[in-house]
Amino acid sequence: MGKTDVIPAPPPAAAKVPEGTDLIEWYYERGCSDGLPLVPPTPEKIASAITALGGEGERLIARVPPRWGSLTREVLAINMVMAGCRPEYAPVVEAAMLALCEARFNLNGVQATTHMASPLLVVNGPIRRAIGMNAGCNTFGSGNRANATIGRALRLVLLNVGGGWPGLLDKSTLGHPGKYTYCIAENEEASPFAPYHVEYGYKTEDSTVFVLAAEPPHSVTNHFANDAEGILDSVCSAMSTICNNNAVSAGHCAVVLGPEHAATVAKSGWKRHDIRHYLWAHSGNRWGDLYGNGRYGKVYNRNLPVWYKREPDARTPIVPSPDNIHLFVAGGEAGRFSAFIPGWGHMSAPVLRGVGGAQPAGGPECTDGTCSV
């Protein structure tokens, strides 16, 4: 789309199309696509999606920035169908949109930033398997309908309802492939740890969505270590660059341990909270290295917490606290690989939300990741 184009809006569900029209091209011409062909939203498919959302198509779910368009159940259903979603994906898509539209996530900023951040969605709980999500081999890649179309439905809403069109309200300099779809599930079955949502007080039988404004995954390779420190030192190395957004803007990040790496770490007796604290304590950069070692004058950087020391040899953490590192286990069970996923910075906070209204129970057994599962 050109910079002078007006922001497109999807045609109403009842739009009349001349018989014989190529519907895929028709939707392209009206600027409703993310660049890939859309599934024509027939009344029957829309009705099925609305039913899966709970009926009441006119019911307002959220206002989506930066255009602040009204997201009703009917509009969400249309975008789900266009993305290729099955009706049973509806609870995940709706919960994810509600999470994205929470004020602390700052979707307005995420949509309009020049940075490449895109919302990453991670799903936990029984609904992963019920709808056929891929938490294993190639989890960030192609080949699974649920992962691909759930993430794509979110993007279509961000475009068609939120108005986040590249070059217009979306000012991302480069973007990244996750702006087509960026959706995975935690591999709870292959994980030696309590699932992510259980660590935060939900029951194992609850299902949740987690959203983080994030850069693409950065691969972490370690084929030699046989203990926790050896694996996690490699993750720390990936985290400790001077140019990811966490390094210069703090905020939150994610680490995805592959099952082989997770098993090695767990064999050392480590729990989730041990991992997060180790990663926080042993990653980071010299303040001087972040800013050219004085070559361009003294830098303060108001984007970082005031308690960070602004001295050349001071350690600058990647994020302000171990709690800002969000740890998941995902991927295939063969291969000693993990991933570091930088966040956007302090401008956005991640959101964990229950699917279908599930609420965390809390309790001391869930404060350190050692919950009974």
Side-chain angles (χ1 to χ4, degrees):
M1 297 185 61
K3 292 185 178 180
T4 59
D5 294 337
V6 296
I7 299 173
K16 298 299 183 182
V17 183
E19 187 174 350
T21 298
D22 184 329
L23 293 176
I24 290 177
E25 295 300 327
W26 191 78
Y27 276 92
Y28 269 128
E29 290 167 3
R30 279 148 186 80
C32 301
S33 173
D34 53 0
L36 296 171
L38 297 174
V39 176
T42 63
E44 295 78 15
K45 288 181 180 291
I46 294 169
S48 295
I50 291 174
T51 299
L53 288 164
E56 301 180 77
E58 71 284 356
R59 181 172 178 176
L60 182 66
I61 296 173
R63 299 288 301 282
V64 185
R67 186 186 181 195
W68 298 103
S70 296
L71 180 64
T72 64
R73 281 182 171 170
E74 180 186 38
V75 171
L76 181 57
I78 293 170
N79 283 276
M80 280 180 54
V81 172
M82 292 194 299
C85 288
R86 295 176 63 88
E88 54 263 39
Y89 305 166
V92 172
V93 177
E94 181 178 41
M97 279 309 311
L98 289 170
L100 290 175
C101 289
E102 286 197 24
R104 56 191 162 135
F105 187 79
N106 185 17
L107 183 58
N108 185 61
V110 175
Q111 286 261 68
T113 180
T114 54
H115 186 247
M116 62 169 56
S118 179
L120 165 66
L121 170 62
V122 184
V123 182
N124 273 99
I127 201 165
R128 302 165 303 121
R129 302 193 73 177
I131 64 175
M133 293 191 72
N134 175 28
C137 185
N138 202 43
T139 187
F140 281 105
S142 57
N144 180 272
R145 180 174 180 176
N147 292 35
T149 62
I150 289 171
R152 189 187 185 198
L154 301 182
R155 176 54 54 186
L156 288 178
V157 171
L158 299 188
L159 293 169
N160 289 321
V161 185
W165 293 98
L168 293 172
L169 298 180
D170 178 351
K171 298 297 184 181
S172 179
T173 305
L174 294 171
H176 75 79
K179 297 188 85 166
Y180 281 104
T181 182
Y182 204 9
C183 171
I184 69 168
E186 183 165 34
N187 194 340
E188 298 176 17
E189 292 74 21
S191 173
F193 310 117
Y196 177 86
H197 68 308
V198 174
E199 182 182 16
Y200 287 87
Y202 286 90
K203 299 176 182 178
T204 54
E205 59 266 31
D206 292 333
S207 294
T208 62
V209 296
F210 168 88
V211 291
L212 171 73
E215 296 181 11
H218 182 109
S219 177
V220 178
T221 302
N222 184 312
H223 288 81
F224 59 85
N226 62 2
D227 60 356
E229 290 94 332
I231 297 296
L232 297 179
D233 283 344
S234 292
V235 179
C236 289
S237 175
M239 295 173 67
S240 302
T241 67
I242 64 173
C243 54
N244 68 62
N245 240 40
N246 291 126
V248 295
S249 294
H252 295 255
C253 66
V255 169
V256 176
L257 290 178
E260 279 204 48
H261 279 172
T264 300
V265 173
K267 187 174 65 176
S268 297
W270 290 39
K271 305 297 184 184
R272 280 181 175 269
H273 72 289
D274 300 310
I275 298 169
R276 289 188 286 102
H277 279 78
Y278 187 91
L279 294 176
W280 183 83
H282 297 286
S283 62
N285 298 288
R286 286 181 65 255
W287 179 268
D289 291 338
L290 287 173
Y291 302 107
N293 290 300
R295 179 177 179 179
Y296 306 102
K298 189 173 182 179
V299 176
Y300 181 82
N301 190 347
R302 293 180 176 82
N303 291 321
L304 297 176
V306 295
W307 55 268
Y308 283 17
K309 287 188 175 182
R310 271 79 171 168
E311 299 172 357
D313 291 324
R315 170 183 170 264
T316 305
I318 295 300
V319 290
S321 163
D323 293 335
N324 293 59
I325 301 173
H326 301 272
L327 180 69
F328 300 90
V329 175
E333 295 184 37
R336 295 176 63 79
F337 300 96
S338 294
F340 168 55
I341 305 176
W344 183 35
H346 72 284
M347 300 77 71
S348 173
V351 177
L352 176 66
R353 186 181 182 92
V355 175
Q359 297 292 323
E365 73 278 12
C366 287
T367 58
D368 65 355
T370 59
C371 313
S372 175
V373 294

